[in-house]
Each structure stands twice: as C-alpha cells, then as structure tokens.
C-alpha cells in the first residue's frame, strides 16, 4: 500500500472538490447546464465527463470558461464582475455557473468522502498539519457545510486567490501559498489532487509527494505523466507511516 511517510513529511495539502467533498459532480452538472444553453446552435453539447476533466476540472471558474470555449474555437469578450449571470461574456457564463452551484449546495448540502475524513483524523492524530485549497470562491462555504473546518490549519479559497493575484493551476502558486502559511518548505509537504492541472502544479512546485486521486479510473496514466508519484482511486488506499516528530524547544 502506498503511504504518506510522516517521518519526512510534516503537512498535507488537499484540493477540495473531488478530494475532500463530493462536489465535483455538482460543478460538472452546473457547467453542462450553462454551456449547453450557450452552445445551442453553435456547437456540440458539453460532455460532462470528457470536457469537464480536460478543460474545466482544477481550473478557476473564469479559466474554465476560457479554456473550454477555446477548445470549440469560440472567443467571448471578458466582461467584468458586474455582468449578469448568463451574459455573453466570460464573466457572464462564469456567474451563471456559480449561481447554479450555490443553489444546489444550499438545497442539498455537501457530502464529504468518508475515507478522506478518516485520513484527515489520522493525519492530525499523528501530528501532521493539514490545509485545504481551491480556486473556487465557494470553498469555505463547502468545507463549512460539510462540517470539516476543524480538520484544517489553513483554508485558501478563490477569494484569497483573487486578492493575492495568484495564477491558476498548473502554476503551483496556490499550493506554495498554503505551504508558506503552514510555515513549511515544499519539500516537507504532500499534495493530494484529483485534477491534472493540480497534479502538474504539485510537481512544478517541488512538493515531496504528489498523490493523484483518480475516482473515475480513467486518468491514472495521465496523472503519472504530469507528475503524480502515487495514484489511487480512493484515499482509503493510502496508508500513513510514522508520526511527525515533536520539536523540542
């Protein structure tokens, strides 16, 4: 069994959607609703699996709009944050998707993956620090709704990303910011990701261990190509070795 070795690692940084919470499918469904309405008469419908994984998953909301539309040879005006949801701009489509996602979460709540929660409890019991990150502005609301805020020392969401001007994945800036807030070097930190841009970001950032979570069983080879050290279909497959040494002053 692959394991996180806490004799050499002191923290683990988790992506949110699809790793900690079962919200990736909600994001994908919201994107399909918005893109299909926009694409009608222009192009083939959005593929909720292939297009989501290839162009949207792991990217910021606006980068997801840009990347997917570019794949169809479509370019829209950027617009701005004041655009109405559904306006024919990058921001307008992004706002429409966000509104649908927030509505779904408000109505149905958020489910966490039991194996991830169990891993978090065990990591912390062994002295390991933890962080959760996301390009989504809804990250804090999602983690809070799932009742998991107490399991993380650091939470960085899309609002913080925008405030700090951090570039999106596969740039490692978001993960490096989490490591900095944990007061650790990248070489002391593991990354757990379910999206290819996030896996690549972990490798680019020089993190000690990059774990890819391939829940669909279709991305394992691609995850290894872009830098995953370990690929699992569920975090129940990931063990823990040792404990973080107690530093004596």
């Amino acid at each position: 069994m692959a394991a996180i070795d806490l004799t050499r690692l002191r923290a683990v940084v988790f992506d949110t959607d699809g790793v900690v919470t079962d919200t990736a499918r909600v994001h994908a469904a919201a994107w399909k609703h918005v893109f299909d309405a926009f694409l009608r008469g222009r192009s083939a419908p959005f593929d909720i699996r292939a297009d989501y994984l290839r162009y949207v998953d792991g990217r910021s909301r606006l980068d997801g709009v840009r990347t997917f539309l570019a794949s169809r040879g479509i370019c829209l005006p950027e617009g701005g944050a004041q655009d109405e949801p559904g306006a024919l701009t990058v921001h307008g489509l992004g706002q429409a998707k966000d509104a649908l996602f927030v509505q779904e979460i408000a109505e149905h709540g958020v489910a966490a993956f039991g194996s991830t929660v169990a891993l978090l409890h065990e990591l912390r019991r062994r002295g390991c620090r933890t962080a959760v990150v996301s390009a989504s502005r809804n990250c804090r609301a999602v983690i809070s709704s799932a009742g998991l805020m107490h399991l993380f020392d650091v939470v960085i969401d899309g609002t913080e990303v925008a405030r700090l001007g951090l570039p999106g994945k596969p740039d490692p800036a978001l993960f490096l910011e989490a490591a900095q807030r944990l007061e650790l070097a990248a070489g002391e930190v593991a990354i757990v990701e379910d999206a290819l841009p996030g896996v690549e970001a972990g490798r680019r950032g020089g993190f000690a261990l990059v774990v890819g979570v391939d829940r669909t069983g279709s991305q394992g080879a691609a995850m290894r190509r872009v830098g995953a050290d370990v690929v699992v279909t569920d975090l129940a497959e990931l063990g823990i070795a040792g404990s973080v040494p107690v530093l004596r002053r």
Side-chain angles (χ1 to χ4, degrees):
M1 174 186 282
I4 295 173
D5 183 358
L6 296 184
T7 63
R8 65 186 188 91
L9 297 174
R10 298 183 61 195
V12 181
V13 179
F14 293 80
D15 179 52
T16 304
D17 301 303
V19 174
V20 177
T21 57
D22 189 11
T23 40
R25 60 183 178 79
V26 184
H27 282 289
W31 280 120
K32 179 166 178 60
H33 182 92
V34 170
F35 281 138
D36 282 358
F38 169 77
L39 292 170
R40 197 167 292 119
R42 291 184 173 94
S43 183
F46 179 82
D47 187 304
I48 200 167
R49 182 170 178 178
D51 286 333
Y52 178 74
L53 292 175
R54 188 172 299 137
Y55 304 116
V56 177
D57 191 25
R59 304 182 192 275
S60 71
R61 181 161 38 96
L62 299 180
D63 279 349
V65 175
R66 296 182 191 106
T67 305
F68 171 68
L69 292 184
S71 77
R72 299 295 178 92
I74 299 171
C75 182
L76 284 181
E78 279 292 304
Q82 74 285 348
D83 290 358
E84 290 293 320
L88 297 182
T89 63
V90 170
H91 279 264
L93 295 187
Q95 300 276 42
K97 179 267 171 182
D98 197 48
L100 283 174
F101 179 79
V102 170
Q103 178 182 338
E104 180 70 14
I105 295 302
E107 290 179 0
H108 302 291
V110 176
F113 290 105
S115 56
T116 304
V117 175
L119 179 66
L120 281 162
H121 278 289
E122 186 60 18
L123 285 169
R124 294 178 70 82
R125 188 184 74 79
R126 295 182 186 224
C128 182
R129 304 194 74 200
T130 53
V132 64
V133 302
S134 176
S136 171
R137 294 175 183 265
N138 301 303
C139 171
R140 283 184 180 274
V142 165
I143 295 298
S144 180
S145 178
L148 302 178
M149 288 292 285
H150 66 292
L151 292 178
F152 297 103
D153 300 293
V154 168
V155 179
I156 305 178
D157 64 7
T159 301
E160 280 287 276
V161 169
R163 183 182 69 81
L164 296 169
L166 300 179
K169 303 169 189 175
D171 191 286
L174 176 55
F175 290 137
L176 291 171
E177 177 68 20
Q180 182 178 337
R181 295 189 187 193
L182 290 165
E183 300 181 331
L184 295 171
E188 301 174 287
V189 178
I191 301 297
V192 184
E193 256 284 358
D194 74 322
L196 294 178
V199 171
E200 184 177 345
R203 176 53 56 231
R204 285 192 189 183
F207 289 89
L209 177 69
V210 180
V211 178
V213 183
D214 178 23
R215 295 194 186 279
T216 66
S218 63
Q219 295 199 98
M223 284 180 169
R224 290 185 179 90
R225 279 198 301 272
V226 297
D229 298 298
V230 173
V231 176
V232 296
T233 58
D234 185 89
L235 290 181
E237 301 167 27
L238 191 64
I240 304 173
S243 297
V244 175
V246 176
L247 297 179
R248 302 188 184 279
R249 297 184 183 275

